[in-house]
Amino acid sequence: MTTVDTGPGPLLRFIDASPTPFHACAEAARLLEAAGFAAVRETDVLPGEGSWFLVRGGTLVAWLAPPSLAGRQPSFRLVGAHTDSPNLRIKPNPDLARAGLAQLGVEVYGGPLLNSWLDRDLGIAGRVALGRAGEQGHDLVAGATAGPAELRLFELRRPLLRLPQLAIHLDREVNEKGLVLNRQQHLTPFWATEAQGDVAGFAAVLADHLGVATEDIVAWDAMVFPVEEPRVVGLREEFVSAPRIDNQLSCWAGVAALAARAAEGVAADRVEALVLFDHEEVGSASDRGADGAFLGSVLERIATAAGLDRPGYLRALAGSSCVSADCAHATNPNYVDRHEPQHQIALNGGPVLKVNSNLRYATDARTAALFAAACRRADVPLQRFVNRTDLACGSTIGPLTASAL
């Protein structure tokens, strides 16, 4: 049995290397390559037997395939997670100045706790599209890398930005009435004093970091992130303190598990796969999200490479399962009343099986039994979660992949 280092170190390193979904995929790819997986481009003919992965933007699919599934009762065994987290993203024309300070305009992505971004040291990371000035065209829009277009990751990992909270002297009632932030007015970070207009704009700073001309920058997907390192905390160092635990925790666990399976060998009658989706935090309706055709098309191409025709692929889906791995809320000791009394969740108490009668999760009796059996075989304790009936429930990729496949 191949073992995986389940201490906090590898998880912390993964999160620290993944300030954006693009970086999370790059780090997952690096770990998979170290485990013997090979990259394949989405535009290539997918290979058959072996361990492979492909990346589309902030989404990654990796899989182990046998020599052939023809003549067998084929199936897929999937683990799904998501690479994105709520954050602040740099607008296309971000540069502005107010009250003598140079600021960057940002847009809120997903559903963050807005106050959690205040008074923190913030860096910027993401990807940038580069092209010789005046030559960018439809190839870039289509996502091709041929011609003048190039997509490059970047990371400005230093305390560049700050969102200061209003001083208590100017908001005396904040502790009684609560903090209310307007996304347009109150969430514009500053990064320099505006002295005689000598502050370089965002594009110029980015160009200098990349060593290119400012006019070569065509577009960016740039995101703000806290620069403090993930760490273990607590009296006995029992807890992980890190940004983006939702859901890079599951991304790392999925990569580690698939790498361990590759070391044990390839199953003869099934494809074992991992999918790390982007855009879960905004509904998953994108070219690389869970509420789209991407995963289904990749799985069908894998099935075809393994010798199955279309009916064979559909048979494989019928016998398949997918664990939607995401984060659960442990019971907060200061807000016990916000949790279902009969389903208290303990930190470090084992994985959590989430159930919702309104299908916000894809769990039913059959799938719950599958997961419980896996936990028993691994000698892992299992917890069960149900939301308070009078509170709205979250969701994730499970119902989307279930309904699509």
Side-chain angles (χ1 to χ4, degrees):
M1 181 76 176
T2 300
T3 59
V4 176
D5 183 356
T6 55
L11 169 63
L12 298 182
R13 289 192 292 271
F14 182 90
I15 294 175
D16 195 46
S18 307
T20 76
F22 311 115
H23 289 80
C25 287
E27 181 65 7
R30 186 188 69 80
L31 294 174
L32 289 168
E33 287 179 332
F37 286 72
V40 59
R41 293 184 303 180
E42 192 181 348
T43 52
D44 293 338
V45 175
L46 295 193
E49 176 185 6
S51 49
W52 308 94
F53 70 89
L54 61 82
V55 177
R56 179 190 284 189
T59 294
L60 177 145
V61 182
W63 67 94
L64 295 168
S68 175
L69 291 173
R72 300 180 181 273
Q73 181 57 54
S75 65
F76 294 96
R77 291 293 181 267
L78 288 160
V79 170
H82 67 90
T83 58
D84 63 321
S85 301
N87 62 12
L88 308 177
R89 304 199 170 189
I90 307 297
K91 291 179 177 178
N93 298 316
D95 300 303
L96 59 116
R98 287 184 296 195
L101 293 173
Q103 297 178 279
L104 290 183
V106 298
E107 185 175 7
V108 176
Y109 175 87
L113 284 170
L114 298 180
N115 66 291
S116 69
W117 290 87
L118 302 180
D119 296 321
R120 302 182 73 173
D121 295 330
L122 303 172
I124 309 172
R127 69 176 181 178
V128 61
L130 302 175
R132 291 190 299 273
E135 295 187 9
Q136 63 273 13
H138 69 277
D139 285 342
L140 176 61
V141 175
T145 56
E150 178 189 357
L151 293 173
R152 192 186 302 181
L153 298 187
F154 74 91
E155 184 176 341
L156 297 168
R157 184 181 284 270
R158 59 191 181 95
L160 284 173
L161 303 178
R162 193 78 175 182
L163 275 168
Q165 185 167 342
L166 188 63
I168 185 66
H169 308 87
L170 304 178
D171 191 7
R172 291 286 186 181
E173 297 180 320
V174 65
N175 290 325
E176 287 70 38
K177 293 187 175 180
L179 178 64
V180 178
L181 297 173
N182 180 281
R183 298 180 178 215
Q184 177 71 19
Q185 182 180 355
H186 301 140
L187 294 179
T188 305
F190 69 81
W191 67 342
T193 55
E194 184 72 7
Q196 300 178 357
D198 62 352
V199 177
F202 177 67
V205 172
L206 188 53
D208 181 68
H209 173 74
L210 296 171
V212 302
T214 302
E215 56 267 26
D216 287 340
I217 294 181
V218 181
W220 54 69
D221 299 307
M223 309 173 195
V224 176
F225 72 99
V227 297
E228 61 262 29
E229 294 183 355
R231 66 196 68 188
V232 291
V233 301
L235 179 64
R236 294 190 295 261
E237 297 188 333
E238 299 172 89
F239 313 116
V240 168
S241 174
R244 303 180 299 278
I245 286 178
D246 180 2
N247 186 26
Q248 290 181 7
L249 166 65
S250 301
C251 293
W252 172 80
V255 169
L258 192 63
R261 281 292 300 122
E264 295 172 353
V266 178
D269 60 346
R270 63 183 182 269
V271 172
E272 294 168 313
L274 169 71
V275 55
L276 309 180
F277 283 113
D278 199 356
H279 296 149
E280 187 271 353
E281 297 287 357
V282 291
S284 297
S286 72
D287 68 308
R288 54 187 181 269
D291 195 20
F294 178 59
L295 177 60
S297 67
V298 172
L299 292 182
E300 185 167 5
R301 294 173 64 192
I302 293 171
T304 301
L308 297 181
D309 55 12
R310 174 72 176 175
Y313 166 64
L314 296 177
R315 285 197 307 114
L317 289 183
S320 297
S321 63
C322 176
V323 172
S324 170
D326 210 329
C327 290
H329 299 293
T331 300
N332 188 318
N334 295 329
Y335 299 91
V336 174
D337 60 308
R338 297 299 181 97
H339 301 268
E340 163 60 37
Q342 298 301 110
H343 296 83
Q344 301 288 300
I345 301 301
L347 286 167
N348 296 328
V352 179
L353 187 62
K354 288 186 170 185
V355 178
N356 180 257
S357 297
N358 294 298
L359 303 184
R360 299 291 287 172
Y361 309 121
T363 309
D364 61 16
R366 183 185 66 85
T367 58
L370 284 172
F371 192 75
C375 289
R376 284 196 301 272
R377 286 197 299 272
D379 194 25
V380 170
L382 176 63
Q383 304 184 84
R384 297 173 189 259
F385 171 88
V386 176
N387 213 56
R388 276 185 65 107
T389 305
D390 55 356
L391 291 179
C393 180
S395 188
T396 186
I397 65 168
L400 301 176
T401 54
S403 61
L405 299 176

